[in-house]
Amino acid sequence: MNAAERAAWLRDELHRHNRLYYVDNAPEISDTEYDRLLRELSDLETAHPELLTPDSPTQTVGVAPVAAFGEVRHRVPMLSLDNAFDEAELQAFDQRVRRFLAQDEPVRYVVELKLDGVSLSLTYEDGLLTQAATRGDGTTGEMVTANARTVRGVPLRLAGAAPGLIEIRGEVLMTRADFARLNDEKLARGETPFVNPRNAASGGLRQLDSRLTRERRLRFFGYTFGAIEGPAVPEDQGARLAWLREMGVPVAAHAEECPDIEAVIQAIARVQAQRPDLPFDIDGVVIKVADGALRERLGDTARGPRWAIAYKFPAEQAMTRMHAITWQVGRTGLVVPVAELDPIYVGGVTISRATLHNPSELRRKDVRVGDTVIVQRAGDVIPEVVGPVLERRPEGTEPVPVPTECPVCGTPLLYGEGDILLRCSNKRACPAQLLAGIIHFVSRGAMDIAGLGEKQIQFFLDKGWISDIPSLYELGRHREAMVNEPGLGQQSVDNILAAIEESKTRPLSRVIIGLGIRFVGEKTSIDLATAFGNLDALAVADEARLQAVPDIGERTAAEIVTWFADDENQTLLERLKAHVNPTLADLEPLGDQFAGQTVVFTGKLETMTREEAEAYVRRHGGTPAGSVSKKTNLVVYGPGAGSKLAKAEQLGVPLMTEAEFCEQYRPLESP
Ligand code: IVH
């Protein structure tokens, strides 16, 4: 193979791999191998400049900056779309379409993702990319050809038999992964991060230096055509998208054909559910009449086509003014900066507070009182402040100081976890921690005590009727005083007391959640309840035993052990257990031969699993434990037993082999 043949082969091969990667989502080679091929081609072109072609994959690296972009008049205007915000507006759109077509039968639609980026029009002449333009005002845009060449997924040459002239339109965006990575890099260099992927993409496409555009790793997805000279465009939207793919243009997944508007509404719900998991941001879906002939008849208005509508999802980001920062003390003592905002509608709800996570995030984002900030609420995630809008920063703002003392109890604050988290160490007496802990205990996800909200809890604390979680179950003692309290009254007092009483029937996992151990949420609590069966067994489990529970890691195990090792927590637990002490229903007692005894299994068990052995002990009144102490009543050991066996021998704890244990108790015979 001579140099010219090799260069041609490399070009074709690289084009093919680009398609496999960006269009088919099915790469065949690694990035390193791709880079190696690209370098070989680049070296060949340097040695033989005459071999360089305009569609060479080496021509995507960007070129020297231009002074300004030229203007491009679009051959076919780049229109905008009408918006719909709810089901009724979609129904109205469908009716408009059918009325215009004078048609009773349902109209077929295609539902596509509404990619949240910037639109771009690519002109190909005889299959070669000759021009790229932004939308601009719809009639005239900016010529960004050099930049577009660096955008991933923009083919420099169309595959297959291309028309003499074709304008391909689509969206340029930044994936969420690239956005996160680029922002990490920016932060490491001490630069201000991008606010969102859309801004990063739109700014990236309009860089005067196309090498900078390339660094943003932008992606292109096609969805429609502008001017075409040559073959007729396929009739159906589905076929059009397929044609784009055949030409080597990436098309976003999830386009779905629907027989009527009802099916469209269902498809939208599916997209909405997938929205958080998509690799890029979308701000809605676009609904298009599927049949090209019907589209022709429908035509356009001045604003946009009659055959399409954008269904907008509630924005996940919005701008508002931050008028203060408060420091909130949580139940585990974490002190978190919270932005107090002018109320704003975002992600489908109105919010007036958003988290800034921790002092280090606050410093990094450098949001200041008086700033206009971008807030975000995606899905059910807690609203957060993304960052300030620096162009709108008023004069004379100052960075927000981080407190050195607990804003509620005045205890000096400590930094933990790599100096990121700020904590009030006054675990027991800090009123804020106490209040937050009780609120958590009574909350829906935990003990679900109806009628007890933050206000009542604070009031009862102030009155001295309650002092901590267990005291909730002694609240009845103050019934007299409560009933006489203006604003409470007999009925509401009795309702509250009944709700507290009723909470005693909550399953074990809910009680575990209620304890408020760090990292122990619903899933972990259920795992713990299943593995240990009651609070006593959980309380004595060591880290190794906890980590043996699937999905419980080092961090969580350590938090659990620390919580139960704390003297005051032990007292609290004992008092709580006097009122609430559920066990797993499927671990109903079968006997009492281990009543009051603690049994440790160590080493490898051969005839039963660790879970079966421990469940057996529990169901016969005992407590399986993970570590040996003076209080251990029996150690059952198998092959490989080490330090626990040695400790038991040293302490004189009774020992049994697994065989002896089975011989004496016959655990495998009980139901
Ligand atoms: S079709 C006549 N399809 O949304 C306009 N547009 O609000 C035809 N967009 O300017 C546009 N995803 O930048 C279409 N799948 C999609 C889209 C999409 C995002 C953008 C596009 C357009 C804007 C209209």
Tab-separated table of all heavy atoms in Angstrom, residues 94-135:
chain	number	residue	atom	x	y	z
A	94	ASP	N	-53.842	18.772	19.118
A	94	ASP	CA	-54.338	17.669	18.283
A	94	ASP	C	-55.621	18.089	17.564
A	94	ASP	O	-55.810	17.811	16.371
A	94	ASP	CB	-54.580	16.445	19.175
A	94	ASP	CG	-55.108	15.258	18.397
A	94	ASP	OD1	-54.432	14.844	17.429
A	94	ASP	OD2	-56.193	14.750	18.747
A	95	GLN	N	-56.493	18.797	18.289
A	95	GLN	CA	-57.744	19.235	17.660
A	95	GLN	C	-57.481	20.248	16.550
A	95	GLN	O	-58.099	20.183	15.490
A	95	GLN	CB	-58.682	19.827	18.723
A	95	GLN	CG	-59.498	18.723	19.399
A	95	GLN	CD	-60.023	19.136	20.757
A	95	GLN	OE1	-60.118	20.328	21.052
A	95	GLN	NE2	-60.361	18.144	21.571
A	96	ARG	N	-56.553	21.170	16.812
A	96	ARG	CA	-56.191	22.155	15.782
A	96	ARG	C	-55.701	21.446	14.524
A	96	ARG	O	-56.118	21.755	13.414
A	96	ARG	CB	-55.050	23.054	16.291
A	96	ARG	CG	-55.506	24.269	17.038
A	96	ARG	CD	-54.433	25.364	17.087
A	96	ARG	NE	-53.108	24.950	17.541
A	96	ARG	CZ	-52.766	24.822	18.827
A	96	ARG	NH1	-53.661	25.045	19.783
A	96	ARG	NH2	-51.538	24.469	19.159
A	97	VAL	N	-54.837	20.456	14.716
A	97	VAL	CA	-54.273	19.731	13.584
A	97	VAL	C	-55.399	19.063	12.797
A	97	VAL	O	-55.482	19.181	11.567
A	97	VAL	CB	-53.245	18.684	14.062
A	97	VAL	CG1	-52.903	17.697	12.951
A	97	VAL	CG2	-51.986	19.370	14.564
A	98	ARG	N	-56.287	18.385	13.521
A	98	ARG	CA	-57.331	17.634	12.803
A	98	ARG	C	-58.365	18.551	12.173
A	98	ARG	O	-58.887	18.273	11.098
A	98	ARG	CB	-57.986	16.636	13.756
A	98	ARG	CG	-57.012	15.467	14.009
A	98	ARG	CD	-57.683	14.304	14.622
A	98	ARG	NE	-58.036	14.578	16.001
A	98	ARG	CZ	-58.950	13.899	16.673
A	98	ARG	NH1	-59.617	12.927	16.084
A	98	ARG	NH2	-59.196	14.186	17.922
A	99	ARG	N	-58.635	19.658	12.842
A	99	ARG	CA	-59.576	20.616	12.264
A	99	ARG	C	-58.997	21.164	10.957
A	99	ARG	O	-59.665	21.237	9.937
A	99	ARG	CB	-59.852	21.755	13.252
A	99	ARG	CG	-61.161	22.461	12.950
A	99	ARG	CD	-61.513	23.561	13.961
A	99	ARG	NE	-61.191	23.233	15.339
A	99	ARG	CZ	-60.316	23.912	16.079
A	99	ARG	NH1	-59.677	24.945	15.587
A	99	ARG	NH2	-60.099	23.565	17.327
A	100	PHE	N	-57.725	21.526	10.997
A	100	PHE	CA	-57.069	22.080	9.816
A	100	PHE	C	-57.096	21.074	8.669
A	100	PHE	O	-57.315	21.419	7.508
A	100	PHE	CB	-55.617	22.447	10.154
A	100	PHE	CG	-54.981	23.342	9.137
A	100	PHE	CD1	-54.974	24.712	9.310
A	100	PHE	CD2	-54.391	22.804	7.995
A	100	PHE	CE1	-54.396	25.535	8.358
A	100	PHE	CE2	-53.815	23.632	7.041
A	100	PHE	CZ	-53.812	25.002	7.225
A	101	LEU	N	-56.913	19.798	9.021
A	101	LEU	CA	-56.886	18.762	7.984
A	101	LEU	C	-58.291	18.259	7.660
A	101	LEU	O	-58.457	17.427	6.782
A	101	LEU	CB	-56.038	17.572	8.455
A	101	LEU	CG	-54.542	17.829	8.681
A	101	LEU	CD1	-53.910	16.632	9.359
A	101	LEU	CD2	-53.844	18.138	7.362
A	102	ALA	N	-59.275	18.772	8.402
A	102	ALA	CA	-60.663	18.301	8.277
A	102	ALA	C	-60.703	16.778	8.348
A	102	ALA	O	-61.204	16.104	7.445
A	102	ALA	CB	-61.289	18.820	6.981
A	103	GLN	N	-60.129	16.273	9.410
A	103	GLN	CA	-59.979	14.824	9.523
A	103	GLN	C	-60.498	14.348	10.871
A	103	GLN	O	-60.174	14.907	11.912
A	103	GLN	CB	-58.478	14.482	9.391
A	103	GLN	CG	-58.148	13.063	9.746
A	103	GLN	CD	-56.673	12.775	9.474
A	103	GLN	OE1	-56.087	13.290	8.521
A	103	GLN	NE2	-56.080	11.937	10.301
A	104	ASP	N	-61.329	13.299	10.850
A	104	ASP	CA	-61.879	12.758	12.090
A	104	ASP	C	-60.954	11.733	12.723
A	104	ASP	O	-60.845	11.634	13.932
A	104	ASP	CB	-63.243	12.102	11.842
A	104	ASP	CG	-64.325	13.171	11.760
A	104	ASP	OD1	-64.057	14.272	12.283
A	104	ASP	OD2	-65.384	12.897	11.172
A	105	GLU	N	-60.312	10.935	11.849
A	105	GLU	CA	-59.460	9.858	12.374
A	105	GLU	C	-58.288	10.461	13.142
A	105	GLU	O	-57.879	11.589	12.888
A	105	GLU	CB	-58.872	8.967	11.263
A	105	GLU	CG	-59.802	8.495	10.198
A	105	GLU	CD	-59.936	9.552	9.107
A	105	GLU	OE1	-59.029	9.657	8.267
A	105	GLU	OE2	-60.962	10.274	9.135
A	106	PRO	N	-57.747	9.654	14.047
A	106	PRO	CA	-56.577	10.119	14.802
A	106	PRO	C	-55.394	10.387	13.879
A	106	PRO	O	-55.294	9.801	12.794
A	106	PRO	CB	-56.249	8.949	15.737
A	106	PRO	CG	-57.369	7.980	15.632
A	106	PRO	CD	-58.161	8.296	14.422
A	107	VAL	N	-54.536	11.297	14.315
A	107	VAL	CA	-53.314	11.610	13.571
A	107	VAL	C	-52.147	10.894	14.254
A	107	VAL	O	-52.073	10.845	15.473
A	107	VAL	CB	-53.078	13.132	13.568
A	107	VAL	CG1	-51.737	13.478	12.953
A	107	VAL	CG2	-54.209	13.828	12.840
A	108	ARG	N	-51.262	10.324	13.456
A	108	ARG	CA	-50.063	9.684	14.006
A	108	ARG	C	-49.012	10.740	14.323
A	108	ARG	O	-48.794	11.658	13.527
A	108	ARG	CB	-49.464	8.721	12.972
A	108	ARG	CG	-49.882	7.280	13.127
A	108	ARG	CD	-49.136	6.379	12.152
A	108	ARG	NE	-49.033	6.949	10.813
A	108	ARG	CZ	-47.874	7.173	10.194
A	108	ARG	NH1	-46.740	6.858	10.787
A	108	ARG	NH2	-47.849	7.694	8.979
A	109	TYR	N	-48.370	10.576	15.469
A	109	TYR	CA	-47.317	11.518	15.860
A	109	TYR	C	-46.030	10.779	16.186
A	109	TYR	O	-46.053	9.594	16.518
A	109	TYR	CB	-47.743	12.305	17.111
A	109	TYR	CG	-48.943	13.185	16.891
A	109	TYR	CD1	-50.203	12.807	17.351
A	109	TYR	CD2	-48.813	14.407	16.235
A	109	TYR	CE1	-51.310	13.613	17.170
A	109	TYR	CE2	-49.922	15.227	16.043
A	109	TYR	CZ	-51.167	14.827	16.509
A	109	TYR	OH	-52.255	15.627	16.319
A	110	VAL	N	-44.929	11.531	16.118
A	110	VAL	CA	-43.664	11.015	16.653
A	110	VAL	C	-43.290	11.907	17.828
A	110	VAL	O	-43.398	13.134	17.744
A	110	VAL	CB	-42.553	11.011	15.584
A	110	VAL	CG1	-41.194	10.722	16.211
A	110	VAL	CG2	-42.868	9.977	14.515
A	111	VAL	N	-42.922	11.275	18.940
A	111	VAL	CA	-42.480	12.015	20.120
A	111	VAL	C	-40.955	11.911	20.189
A	111	VAL	O	-40.406	10.819	20.235
A	111	VAL	CB	-43.110	11.417	21.399
A	111	VAL	CG1	-42.551	12.101	22.645
A	111	VAL	CG2	-44.622	11.555	21.353
A	112	GLU	N	-40.300	13.066	20.135
A	112	GLU	CA	-38.829	13.077	20.232
A	112	GLU	C	-38.403	13.837	21.475
A	112	GLU	O	-39.144	14.673	21.983
A	112	GLU	CB	-38.228	13.801	19.008
A	112	GLU	CG	-38.394	13.054	17.718
A	112	GLU	CD	-37.905	13.868	16.523
A	112	GLU	OE1	-37.162	14.862	16.719
A	112	GLU	OE2	-38.296	13.508	15.398
A	113	LEU	N	-37.198	13.566	21.932
A	113	LEU	CA	-36.651	14.336	23.047
A	113	LEU	C	-36.427	15.768	22.590
A	113	LEU	O	-35.991	15.995	21.469
A	113	LEU	CB	-35.316	13.742	23.506
A	113	LEU	CG	-35.334	12.286	23.944
A	113	LEU	CD1	-33.945	11.882	24.427
A	113	LEU	CD2	-36.367	12.066	25.038
A	114	LYS	N	-36.732	16.708	23.445
A	114	LYS	CA	-36.378	18.090	23.147
A	114	LYS	C	-35.032	18.364	23.806
A	114	LYS	O	-34.939	18.597	25.013
A	114	LYS	CB	-37.442	19.057	23.669
A	114	LYS	CG	-37.173	20.486	23.278
A	114	LYS	CD	-38.438	21.310	23.389
A	114	LYS	CE	-38.286	22.813	23.209
A	114	LYS	NZ	-37.042	23.358	22.793
A	115	LEU	N	-34.002	18.249	22.992
A	115	LEU	CA	-32.641	18.351	23.501
A	115	LEU	C	-32.373	19.779	23.948
A	115	LEU	O	-32.696	20.728	23.234
A	115	LEU	CB	-31.657	17.938	22.398
A	115	LEU	CG	-31.976	16.587	21.746
A	115	LEU	CD1	-31.122	16.369	20.515
A	115	LEU	CD2	-31.770	15.460	22.746
A	116	ASP	N	-31.791	19.918	25.130
A	116	ASP	CA	-31.588	21.255	25.686
A	116	ASP	C	-30.191	21.763	25.356
A	116	ASP	O	-29.295	21.745	26.187
A	116	ASP	CB	-31.817	21.211	27.202
A	116	ASP	CG	-32.034	22.596	27.774
A	116	ASP	OD1	-32.145	23.555	26.987
A	116	ASP	OD2	-32.090	22.719	29.006
A	117	GLY	N	-30.032	22.190	24.118
A	117	GLY	CA	-28.725	22.715	23.700
A	117	GLY	C	-28.939	23.922	22.817
A	117	GLY	O	-29.778	24.759	23.103
A	118	VAL	N	-28.145	24.023	21.740
A	118	VAL	CA	-28.329	25.101	20.766
A	118	VAL	C	-28.494	24.479	19.401
A	118	VAL	O	-27.819	23.502	19.070
A	118	VAL	CB	-27.128	26.062	20.708
A	118	VAL	CG1	-27.316	27.196	21.662
A	118	VAL	CG2	-25.829	25.351	20.948
A	119	SER	N	-29.373	25.079	18.594
A	119	SER	CA	-29.584	24.456	17.291
A	119	SER	C	-28.490	24.869	16.315
A	119	SER	O	-27.887	25.937	16.420
A	119	SER	CB	-30.976	24.762	16.752
A	119	SER	OG	-31.273	26.110	16.952
A	120	LEU	N	-28.248	23.965	15.372
A	120	LEU	CA	-27.170	24.164	14.410
A	120	LEU	C	-27.657	23.638	13.071
A	120	LEU	O	-28.323	22.601	13.009
A	120	LEU	CB	-25.931	23.376	14.856
A	120	LEU	CG	-24.678	23.487	13.995
A	120	LEU	CD1	-24.094	24.905	14.089
A	120	LEU	CD2	-23.618	22.474	14.435
A	121	SER	N	-27.325	24.367	12.016
A	121	SER	CA	-27.689	23.929	10.680
A	121	SER	C	-26.407	23.613	9.905
A	121	SER	O	-25.500	24.440	9.835
A	121	SER	CB	-28.475	25.048	9.979
A	121	SER	OG	-28.690	24.681	8.645
A	122	LEU	N	-26.340	22.405	9.354
A	122	LEU	CA	-25.135	21.965	8.642
A	122	LEU	C	-25.459	21.841	7.159
A	122	LEU	O	-26.419	21.159	6.795
A	122	LEU	CB	-24.681	20.602	9.169
A	122	LEU	CG	-24.392	20.506	10.666
A	122	LEU	CD1	-24.228	19.047	11.079
A	122	LEU	CD2	-23.144	21.305	11.013
A	123	THR	N	-24.677	22.485	6.323
A	123	THR	CA	-24.908	22.383	4.883
A	123	THR	C	-23.881	21.444	4.261
A	123	THR	O	-22.675	21.591	4.492
A	123	THR	CB	-24.800	23.763	4.223
A	123	THR	OG1	-25.732	24.628	4.862
A	123	THR	CG2	-25.129	23.682	2.733
A	124	TYR	N	-24.369	20.468	3.498
A	124	TYR	CA	-23.493	19.525	2.794
A	124	TYR	C	-23.682	19.704	1.304
A	124	TYR	O	-24.815	19.712	0.817
A	124	TYR	CB	-23.815	18.084	3.193
A	124	TYR	CG	-23.416	17.779	4.621
A	124	TYR	CD1	-24.273	18.076	5.670
A	124	TYR	CD2	-22.179	17.212	4.909
A	124	TYR	CE1	-23.906	17.826	6.978
A	124	TYR	CE2	-21.798	16.954	6.221
A	124	TYR	CZ	-22.661	17.257	7.252
A	124	TYR	OH	-22.295	17.020	8.546
A	125	GLU	N	-22.571	19.859	0.593
A	125	GLU	CA	-22.645	19.909	-0.861
A	125	GLU	C	-21.888	18.713	-1.405
A	125	GLU	O	-20.738	18.486	-1.026
A	125	GLU	CB	-22.054	21.232	-1.361
A	125	GLU	CG	-22.971	22.402	-1.013
A	125	GLU	CD	-22.323	23.755	-1.258
A	125	GLU	OE1	-22.251	24.166	-2.433
A	125	GLU	OE2	-21.883	24.379	-0.295
A	126	ASP	N	-22.577	17.939	-2.222
A	126	ASP	CA	-22.035	16.666	-2.722
A	126	ASP	C	-21.449	15.842	-1.576
A	126	ASP	O	-20.378	15.239	-1.700
A	126	ASP	CB	-20.977	16.908	-3.806
A	126	ASP	CG	-21.600	17.582	-5.028
A	126	ASP	OD1	-22.776	17.255	-5.333
A	126	ASP	OD2	-20.935	18.444	-5.635
A	127	GLY	N	-22.115	15.863	-0.451
A	127	GLY	CA	-21.726	15.027	0.676
A	127	GLY	C	-20.681	15.642	1.586
A	127	GLY	O	-20.421	15.115	2.665
A	128	LEU	N	-20.091	16.774	1.194
A	128	LEU	CA	-19.051	17.392	2.023
A	128	LEU	C	-19.621	18.529	2.852
A	128	LEU	O	-20.379	19.357	2.337
A	128	LEU	CB	-17.950	17.963	1.133
A	128	LEU	CG	-16.791	17.063	0.756
A	128	LEU	CD1	-15.712	17.902	0.078
A	128	LEU	CD2	-16.204	16.382	1.992
A	129	LEU	N	-19.199	18.592	4.116
A	129	LEU	CA	-19.650	19.692	4.981
A	129	LEU	C	-19.021	20.987	4.480
A	129	LEU	O	-17.795	21.130	4.451
A	129	LEU	CB	-19.213	19.438	6.433
A	129	LEU	CG	-19.508	20.574	7.413
A	129	LEU	CD1	-21.019	20.757	7.601
A	129	LEU	CD2	-18.842	20.333	8.756
A	130	THR	N	-19.862	21.938	4.064
A	130	THR	CA	-19.303	23.183	3.542
A	130	THR	C	-19.632	24.376	4.428
A	130	THR	O	-18.969	25.402	4.369
A	130	THR	CB	-19.836	23.479	2.132
A	130	THR	OG1	-21.260	23.367	2.154
A	130	THR	CG2	-19.247	22.502	1.124
A	131	GLN	N	-20.682	24.243	5.254
A	131	GLN	CA	-21.047	25.398	6.067
A	131	GLN	C	-21.857	24.965	7.287
A	131	GLN	O	-22.654	24.036	7.216
A	131	GLN	CB	-21.907	26.345	5.243
A	131	GLN	CG	-22.092	27.687	5.903
A	131	GLN	CD	-22.907	28.611	5.011
A	131	GLN	OE1	-24.103	28.428	4.827
A	131	GLN	NE2	-22.231	29.585	4.445
A	132	ALA	N	-21.618	25.661	8.403
A	132	ALA	CA	-22.427	25.434	9.597
A	132	ALA	C	-22.872	26.776	10.127
A	132	ALA	O	-22.084	27.728	10.129
A	132	ALA	CB	-21.617	24.693	10.648
A	133	ALA	N	-24.128	26.862	10.538
A	133	ALA	CA	-24.655	28.146	10.995
A	133	ALA	C	-25.518	27.982	12.230
A	133	ALA	O	-26.260	27.004	12.365
A	133	ALA	CB	-25.484	28.793	9.877
A	134	THR	N	-25.428	28.957	13.123
A	134	THR	CA	-26.329	28.979	14.282
A	134	THR	C	-27.693	29.487	13.824
A	134	THR	O	-27.826	29.994	12.712
A	134	THR	CB	-25.814	29.921	15.383
A	134	THR	OG1	-25.789	31.252	14.851
A	134	THR	CG2	-24.417	29.526	15.843
A	135	ARG	N	-28.673	29.391	14.714
A	135	ARG	CA	-30.014	29.803	14.336
A	135	ARG	C	-30.106	31.320	14.182
A	135	ARG	O	-30.785	31.824	13.289
A	135	ARG	CB	-31.000	29.326	15.398
A	135	ARG	CG	-32.408	29.751	15.156
A	135	ARG	CD	-33.368	28.999	16.054
A	135	ARG	NE	-34.728	29.437	15.807
A	135	ARG	CZ	-35.281	30.490	16.385
A	135	ARG	NH1	-34.585	31.196	17.254
A	135	ARG	NH2	-36.511	30.839	16.099
